[in-house]
Amino acid sequence: MKVFIRVVCVHLWLTLTVAAQAPEIFKVDPPSWWSGSTVNPVRLMIHGRNLHGARVDVQGLRIINTPAINERGTYIFADVFIPPNTPPVKRSISVTTLRGSANSSFEVLAPLNRAGRFQGFSPNDVMYLIMIDRFADGDPSNNGGIYDRKNKFYYHGGDLQGVIDHLPYLKELGVTAIWLTPWYDNYDRLNQIELKEDNPSTGFHGYNPQDFYTVEEHFGSLAKLRELVESAHRSGIKIIQDQVMNHTGPYHPWVDDPPTPAWFNGTKSKHLKNVFQTWALHDPRAVESLRRETMEGWFLDFLPDLNQHDEEVSRYLIQNTLWWIGVTGLDGIRMDTWQYVPNSFWRDWTRALKREFPNFKVVGEVKDGDVVHTSFFQGGKVRFDGVDSGLDSLLDFPLFYPIRHAFAEGKPIDEIPKTLAKDYLYTNPEILVTLLGGHDDGRFMSENGATIAGLKLANAFVLTTRGVPQLYYGDELALEGGDEPTTRGDFPGGFGGDARNAFSAGGRTKDQQELFEYIKRLTTLRREYEVLRTGELVNLYVSEQQYAYARRGPSGAAIIVINNDNDAASMEFDVSRLATGGVFKDQLGVSRPVQIDNGKMRVTLPKRSAAIFVR
Ligand SMILES: [Ca+2]
Ligand SMILES: [Ca+2]
Ligand SMILES: [Ca+2]
């Protein structure tokens, strides 16, 4: 009996030891790819344990490299070749060592039909930024975890279904493209590393990914995301994904177990603190060390900085970008923290992107009010570092601040044309994304001096000047919120139990309804008059509180006149380059028709008003 027990024990010990050493697979990135892609082979990153010496097999496909395995045996990099017209099926993938084998899956997809997908964006669009968690709760069943609508740092229940449900509202407002804040899976716990107002917070905003290949469970699933893209496209609305390539969230599994030794710049215990010495990034005279803390420091000192100089990191991120597009059919990208990622990486990234999706467009976030700095990052030109980043567009922050100063605070309006005068520094100012509000700044209506009248003028300007106009959810209702995250408040009516539903006219106040109709009128005019989208911007008249400009095209011109003053104003200016005579009619119902005599236009506008004249 004793001997028998001992034998059983030894057997158990052996079984446990072998089991502990047998390989395991936790995750395969990417989980799928499509045939006919410009990326072939696809590099699989297999995460698991006990992977030392493993052989990788994918059912029916060939692995064409000798897989690289990291020192701890936790990551394998294997290149799978996908021949054209490979049947779209889910395949088993196995890793085998002397200790055993483990299985997972990898799916080959049929490529999506390109018609109506991967469309890019242009000045023909009106973009609308939605913070997913704060827009509309279309599926209360996913409101688990750290969810509390009374806590501004917690999840509030908004999701992808909520966006699908309100596509008709966006269509009515005249929106043609939705920029959604990141839908990557963020941590399912409270962030104790960065406290806000002494409070721990969730990643409800989406910018702290713990998994680049999964949809946040509070927002929905990959299937729901595909449904959103399809539904939006059926409504004539494009989808812009918000991506992050500079950093991961603080709780990403890579932080404690990096796939390669140089996966991050630094480690949790030893890294550069991020400084914002951003001017050095465009300074041809700065030595590299002057740029390092800005480029490689951990953002806000807690977001692990990805090292895009590492070949595996670069490959991983490029494939990750293409994967979201290729499996959903989405149309554009807003790239977070663009300036903190090396230009040489962006060059490779944009090349790979345009090779697969030639019409695709990217807008980068460089949060800076200086045109000299911002314009440096636009592609189409080789910079001092010998690199053309290939970036299409930038968020027009240099114009954002003057818009706020003039239309919210009532400061001189001439700061706007003075900023536009620097457009020559951009390789393509027409594609810049113009905005009067966003999720990282207090709302327009919380600025000192802000009024509905001023907000209307700001909208009139953004929707008639050059560029791609971007609206921020809730600004069309004059929502308030002076700081982050109050600037990310809940859309009234998007959530169960809301006192009123501002998605329909009956749920809006008189002011809100007037503002909504005003913006809708502007988007309608922009749609009806091509010249307001694509015409050349010509500055006609500038004084301290008045500004007149034209959009000039082959079929004529539209003349926009803004009086930002608290008194009525009359002005006379030369329009002979546009018209020598004729009657121009205001489309916003503010001014009487104006007769042009000898190339001169005389306009009188009431206080704080704008007119759009067309012949
Ligand atoms: Ca929900
Ligand atoms: Ca999550
Ligand atoms: Ca960086």
Side-chain angles (χ1 to χ4, degrees):
M1 191 64 178
K2 229 177 192 172
V3 170
F4 175 71
I5 288 171
R6 185 169 298 149
V7 168
V8 168
C9 284
V10 167
H11 180 76
L12 196 62
W13 178 80
L14 275 172
T15 310
L16 286 172
T17 311
V18 170
Q21 292 178 341
E24 286 179 68
I25 301 179
F26 305 144
K27 196 168 189 302
V28 178
D29 289 345
S32 58
W33 206 266
W34 54 99
S35 56
S37 171
T38 57
V39 175
N40 202 9
V42 174
R43 182 157 299 171
L44 303 178
M45 186 169 93
I46 303 165
H47 180 209
R49 68 177 152 205
N50 305 324
L51 302 176
H52 291 292
R55 196 186 73 227
V56 180
D57 293 290
V58 183
Q59 187 190 359
L61 297 175
R62 266 186 322 122
I63 298 290
I64 61 164
N65 68 336
T66 304
I69 302 170
N70 74 338
E71 210 174 272
R72 287 179 311 284
T74 50
Y75 285 93
I76 303 181
F77 300 93
D79 291 351
V80 63
F81 184 77
I82 304 173
N85 305 316
T86 299
V89 286
K90 200 171 229 182
R91 290 139 195 282
S92 77
I93 174 168
S94 64
V95 295
T96 309
T97 70
L98 294 173
R99 308 288 183 186
S101 68
N103 290 289
S104 186
S105 65
F106 175 74
E107 189 170 5
V108 176
L109 308 165
L112 290 178
N113 188 326
R114 287 180 178 264
R117 298 192 174 94
F118 322 124
Q119 302 170 89
F121 57 82
S122 77
N124 290 323
D125 287 307
V126 174
M127 218 183 267
Y128 185 90
L129 164 57
I130 288 176
M131 178 147 272
I132 301 172
D133 182 59
R134 303 295 166 88
F135 186 62
D137 181 4
D139 179 8
S141 77
N142 57 27
N143 298 352
I146 304 166
Y147 161 84
D148 179 2
R149 282 195 64 205
K150 292 194 187 72
N151 186 320
K152 61 185 178 181
F153 301 107
Y154 286 19
Y155 282 96
H156 285 193
D159 47 37
L160 299 175
Q161 183 63 53
V163 180
I164 294 173
D165 294 344
H166 295 100
L167 289 171
Y169 168 81
L170 299 172
K171 183 99 183 146
E172 190 195 352
L173 184 60
V175 169
T176 69
I178 307 170
W179 153 21
L180 293 160
T181 47
W183 55 64
Y184 305 118
D185 183 22
N186 274 231
Y187 40 77
D188 312 319
R189 51 175 290 174
L190 284 170
N191 176 1
Q192 304 285 359
I193 299 173
E194 185 211 29
L195 298 182
K196 293 193 167 181
E197 301 166 28
D198 292 330
N199 291 298
S201 59
T202 63
F204 74 87
H205 45 70
Y207 290 96
N208 296 348
Q210 67 169 1
D211 182 344
F212 284 93
Y213 275 101
T214 302
V215 173
E216 166 60 39
E217 73 277 9
H218 287 94
F219 301 160
S221 61
L222 182 59
K224 189 53 71 180
L225 178 63
R226 285 179 171 139
E227 184 188 328
L228 167 59
V229 175
E230 293 295 312
S231 309
H233 284 170
R234 272 199 301 277
S235 306
I237 294 176
K238 301 168 177 179
I239 297 292
I240 314 287
Q241 181 186 11
D242 200 329
Q243 291 200 352
V244 186
M245 304 265 111
N246 179 60
H247 52 258
T248 71
Y251 300 109
H252 197 295
W254 294 335
V255 179
D256 295 319
D257 183 15
T260 64
W263 193 264
F264 290 112
N265 291 311
T267 63
K268 194 156 64 178
S269 55
K270 192 172 181 226
H271 56 259
L272 294 171
K273 192 180 157 80
N274 163 252
V275 299
F276 296 109
Q277 212 163 18
T278 51
W279 59 269
L281 304 182
H282 70 247
D283 177 12
R285 293 184 168 87
V287 294
E288 203 50 43
S289 58
L290 257 182
R291 286 189 269 271
R292 262 197 79 206
E293 285 176 313
T294 308
M295 295 295 292
E296 299 178 10
W298 285 29
F299 200 74
L300 307 174
D301 204 31
F302 82 101
L303 294 172
D305 196 64
L306 287 162
N307 173 19
Q308 294 83 9
H309 293 301
D310 182 293
E311 202 267 332
E312 294 297 353
V313 172
S314 167
R315 184 79 179 252
Y316 184 94
L317 294 176
I318 288 171
Q319 287 190 176
N320 181 249
T321 291
L322 266 58
W323 183 82
W324 284 110
I325 306 165
V327 303
T328 63
L330 63 85
D331 304 290
I333 289 173
R334 177 269 186 189
M335 181 57 71
D336 191 57
T337 43
W338 177 275
Q339 59 183 324
Y340 308 107
V341 174
N343 256 342
S344 54
F345 167 76
W346 288 134
R347 173 196 54 208
D348 299 346
W349 180 86
T350 50
R351 275 183 192 163
L353 184 56
K354 299 291 173 101
R355 203 158 42 227
E356 184 83 15
F357 307 110
N359 299 328
F360 210 78
K361 288 278 182 294
V362 179
V363 52
E365 180 219 20
V366 174
K367 199 155 191 292
D368 198 288
D370 182 0
V371 178
V372 171
H373 181 69
T374 309
S375 63
F376 171 78
F377 295 93
Q378 194 170 33
K381 187 173 174 180
V382 175
R383 304 289 171 171
F384 73 84
D385 54 5
V387 177
D388 174 354
S389 72
L391 177 61
D392 300 294
S393 174
L394 289 142
L395 288 167
D396 198 344
F397 282 108
L399 201 54
F400 165 82
Y401 298 105
I403 289 170
R404 283 292 182 94
H405 295 159
F407 298 123
E409 298 174 53
K411 288 182 181 165
I413 198 174
D414 62 358
E415 202 188 332
I416 289 173
K418 281 178 186 169
T419 304
L420 288 165
K422 299 172 187 168
D423 265 4
Y424 73 92
L425 292 170
Y426 293 104
T427 52
N428 180 9
E430 312 301 323
I431 192 77
L432 298 176
V433 174
T434 53
L435 65 156
L436 63 91
H439 58 324
D440 288 330
D441 293 280
R443 284 194 183 265
F444 184 97
M445 285 306 287
S446 291
E447 296 273 17
N448 283 333
T451 61
I452 300 271
L455 182 50
K456 282 183 179 172
L457 293 187
N459 275 287
F461 171 69
V462 166
L463 284 157
T464 55
T465 191
R466 60 94 177 111
V468 184
Q470 176 238 297
L471 313 175
Y472 180 45
Y473 84 97
D475 276 353
E476 74 274 26
L477 301 172
L479 293 190
E480 296 180 11
D483 55 15
E484 186 243 301
T486 59
T487 190
R488 304 164 174 185
D490 297 350
F491 192 104
F495 300 80
D498 279 359
R500 55 195 185 85
N501 177 10
F503 283 114
S504 62
R508 295 176 203 135
T509 65
K510 186 171 163 289
D511 274 354
Q512 287 177 334
Q513 179 59 15
E514 230 179 86
L515 178 61
F516 181 90
E517 287 297 331
Y518 188 80
I519 297 171
K520 190 174 143 184
R521 176 77 186 135
L522 289 166
T523 60
T524 304
L525 288 170
R526 196 175 166 92
R527 189 166 58 242
E528 285 174 357
Y529 293 97
E530 190 193 355
V531 75
L532 287 174
R533 292 174 263 131
T534 60
E536 178 199 358
L537 175 65
V538 182
N539 287 329
L540 298 167
Y541 178 85
V542 179
S543 63
E544 192 171 301
Q545 286 297 7
Q546 288 80 36
Y547 174 34
Y549 53 98
R551 302 296 305 274
R552 181 171 62 175
S555 57
I559 297 171
I560 300 100
V561 186
I562 302 176
N563 175 21
N564 194 44
D565 206 347
N566 282 317
D567 295 310
S570 295
M571 59 209 104
E572 182 183 298
F573 48 88
D574 185 90
V575 293
S576 54
R577 280 178 66 194
L578 310 165
T580 49
V583 176
F584 277 70
K585 289 184 187 137
D586 171 30
Q587 303 300 307
L588 289 177
V590 168
S591 167
R592 280 179 305 197
V594 169
Q595 171 77 46
I596 290 178
D597 290 319
N598 298 321
K600 291 264 189 244
M601 188 164 185
R602 287 174 205 83
V603 184
T604 299
L605 288 188
K607 65 174 183 177
R608 303 219 83 182
S609 64
I612 300 175
F613 294 97
V614 292
R615 189 125 55 160

